[in-house]
């Protein structure tokens, strides 16, 4: 957060093509508002093995011991591979099975030294039921395309397997209805980056408790993502909605989207090695008389923040199942509130 007594409009600064967060191009820091859905007793509790010994004979244990995950519809992608790597580091057992398109059926993918077999659409229910029977402590991790969200959730609900879903899009109302009706354990969040979720929660608290605090202020928003992301950032929209409640007049169509790799490197300051995977956000507020300015910024390079948050969600959900807590849909706010994250 930056305050300044002199006027400054960084997004359209003359004389310099670089944007303010370009000066921090080497930092490796980071999506819509979270919902606080509750209500939803499961038959099979997770079996958590909490003892192990290291070379000194002292008891030590990785947090994921006794938990198995199956990364579906995503182990062949960068996000899925990042999750598998993070889960493996946490001691979580990686089930060597995943799902993919018909053209990917039968393929074998190697991640973290593990050979993972990809099954096609026609095998999904039979394969998932078989894996769940063999690994009753199983938790499915879902990173797929938006159009697959509802079909996947209906499959997990039918089989009764708990899951963590970081996929965005789909019919969200239908998604929640299906999972609540099935009464299974799930963590659903379009934003798995814990620190970003905490920032969004803080913005919501500020908007709720101090409505109109920024009345009259003008807002400029810029966000930069990899070229494959065609729509505006859900995170940016969530933050903007908070500023709107704080009294700022702003239309979502005004968001400045940076998708050109050259601009991202030269103007925004995205490290070249992260052009294909990053999330840079900048929000600049200026007072009516231009004597005061505020700036909020959060930049993410790579996918580790989302992968680590996903694994924390898996550990959180496993604990809830072991303790026979409420069978319902949880979100990343619930995970944050639990504390004790790695």
């Amino acid at each position: 957060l930056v305050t300044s007594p002199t006027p400054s409009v960084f997004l359209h600064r003359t004389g310099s093509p670089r944007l303010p967060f370009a000066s921090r191009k080497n930092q490796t820091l980071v999506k819509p508002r979270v919902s606080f859905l509750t209500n939803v007793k499961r038959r099979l509790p997770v079996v958590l093995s909490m003892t192990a010994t290291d070379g000194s004979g002292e008891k030590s244990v990785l947090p994921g011991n006794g938990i198995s995950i199956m990364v579906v519809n995503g182990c062949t992608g960068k996000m899925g591979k990042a999750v598998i790597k993070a889960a493996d580091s946490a001691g979580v057992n990686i089930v060597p099975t995943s799902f993919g398109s018909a053209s990917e059926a039968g393929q074998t993918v190697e991640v973290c030294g593990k050979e993972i077999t990809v099954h096609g659409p026609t095998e999904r229910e039979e394969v998932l039921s078989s894996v769940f029977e063999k690994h009753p402590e199983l938790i499915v991790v879902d990173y797929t395309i938006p159009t697959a969200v509802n079909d996947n959730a209906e499959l997990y609900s039918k089989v009764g397997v708990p899951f963590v879903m970081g996929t965005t899009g789909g019919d969200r109302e239908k998604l929640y209805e299906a999972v609540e009706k099935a009464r299974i354990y799930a963590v659903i969040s379009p934003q798995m980056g814990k620190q970003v979720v905490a920032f969004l929660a803080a913005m919501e608290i500020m908007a709720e408790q101090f409505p109109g605090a920024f009345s009259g202020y003008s807002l400029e928003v810029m966000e930069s993502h990899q070229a494959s992301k065609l729509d505006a950032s859900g995170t940016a929209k969530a933050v903007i909605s908070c500023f709107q409640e704080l009294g700022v007049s702003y239309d979502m169509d005004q968001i400045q989207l940076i998708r050109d790799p050259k601009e991202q490197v030269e103007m925004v300051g995205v490290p070249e090695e992260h052009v294909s995977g990053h999330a840079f956000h900048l929000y600049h507020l200026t007072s009516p008389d231009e004597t005061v300015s505020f700036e909020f910024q959060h930049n993410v390079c790579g996918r580790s923040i989302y992968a680590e948050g996903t694994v924390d969600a898996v550990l959180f959900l496993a604990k809830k199942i072991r303790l026979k807590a409420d069978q319902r849909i949880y979100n990343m706010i619930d995970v944050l509130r639990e504390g004790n994250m790695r």
Side-chain angles (χ1 to χ4, degrees):
L1 173 63
V2 179
T3 61
S4 169
T6 57
S8 54
V9 181
F10 293 94
L11 295 184
H12 305 291
R13 183 187 299 171
T14 57
S16 172
R18 294 176 69 81
L19 293 168
F21 51 18
S23 62
R24 303 174 190 170
K25 66 183 293 183
N26 294 320
Q27 67 186 4
T28 50
L29 314 174
V30 147
K31 264 183 170 197
R33 276 201 203 181
V34 289
S35 64
F36 296 83
L37 292 178
T38 51
N39 31 355
V40 178
K41 277 175 173 175
R42 164 162 151 92
R43 306 173 299 281
L44 298 170
V46 162
V47 179
L48 290 175
S49 171
M50 299 307 290
T51 59
T53 59
D54 56 24
S56 65
E58 293 292 327
K59 286 187 176 181
S60 63
V61 63
L62 289 171
N65 277 13
I67 305 170
S68 292
I69 69 165
M70 176 179 171
V71 179
V72 304
N73 300 292
C75 80
T76 58
K78 293 180 180 179
M79 190 64 237
K81 291 178 180 178
V83 170
I84 291 174
K85 182 179 179 180
D88 184 65
S89 297
V92 174
N93 176 49
I94 311 299
V95 175
T97 307
S98 186
F99 298 143
S101 64
S103 62
E104 295 173 319
Q107 291 185 13
T108 299
V109 181
E110 184 176 342
V111 185
C112 294
K114 304 178 188 301
E115 298 286 338
I116 300 176
T117 302
V118 180
H119 296 267
T122 60
E123 305 173 88
R124 298 195 320 154
E125 184 176 342
E126 181 182 352
V127 170
L128 183 58
S129 297
S130 177
V131 171
F132 193 27
E133 183 176 358
K134 184 178 180 180
H135 302 277
E137 78 287 5
L138 182 71
I139 293 177
V140 167
V141 173
D142 186 295
Y143 276 102
T144 184
I145 57 177
T147 53
V149 164
N150 297 108
D151 285 343
N152 288 350
E154 288 177 8
L155 173 63
Y156 310 147
S157 298
K158 184 175 182 179
V159 176
V161 62
F163 67 93
V164 172
M165 178 178 282
T167 310
T168 60
D171 186 327
R172 305 308 279 190
E173 185 176 344
K174 183 179 178 181
L175 166 65
Y176 283 98
E177 287 178 354
V179 179
E180 288 177 331
K181 183 178 179 180
R183 298 183 65 82
I184 61 175
Y185 290 97
V187 173
I188 300 176
S189 175
Q191 171 58 262
M192 302 302 294
K194 299 171 292 187
Q195 294 78 11
V196 179
V197 173
F199 169 67
L200 287 174
M203 288 296 302
E204 289 188 353
I205 291 171
M206 181 167 68
E208 180 183 348
Q209 297 193 8
F210 310 113
F214 284 89
S215 293
Y217 274 66
S218 61
L219 173 66
E220 294 180 85
V221 180
M222 186 193 69
E223 58 95 332
S224 173
H225 286 76
Q226 55 275 8
S228 59
K229 182 173 177 56
L230 303 178
D231 58 336
S233 164
T235 300
K237 291 180 179 179
V239 173
I240 290 169
S241 68
C242 290
F243 282 129
Q244 289 172 333
E245 292 179 29
L246 285 164
V248 176
S249 178
Y250 190 88
D251 192 311
M252 295 293 180
D253 293 336
Q254 295 176 263
I255 301 174
Q256 184 180 357
L257 308 182
I258 308 296
R259 296 293 183 269
D260 178 73
K262 190 172 186 291
E263 288 185 359
Q264 291 173 338
V265 173
E266 297 179 356
M267 208 171 84
V268 179
V270 178
E272 287 191 38
E273 63 270 28
H274 292 297
V275 165
S276 63
H278 69 279
F280 278 36
H281 297 75
L282 179 68
Y283 316 90
H284 187 86
L285 295 134
T286 306
S287 65
D289 62 359
E290 299 188 342
T291 61
V292 181
S293 66
F294 289 82
E295 196 167 280
F296 298 78
Q297 173 183 316
H298 53 94
N299 303 339
V300 173
C301 290
R303 297 169 175 81
S304 62
I305 187 175
Y306 311 117
E308 292 295 335
T310 299
V311 173
D312 276 327
V314 167
L315 300 178
F316 164 87
L317 200 58
K319 180 180 178 181
K320 291 298 178 185
I321 298 170
R322 177 174 60 86
L323 296 176
K324 299 182 180 180
D326 291 342
Q327 293 167 290
R328 66 176 180 86
I329 300 172
Y330 295 91
N331 55 45
M332 287 304 288
I333 290 294
D334 297 310
V335 177
L336 286 167
R337 283 175 173 160
E338 193 79 3
N340 300 318
M341 291 179 290
R342 299 162 301 112

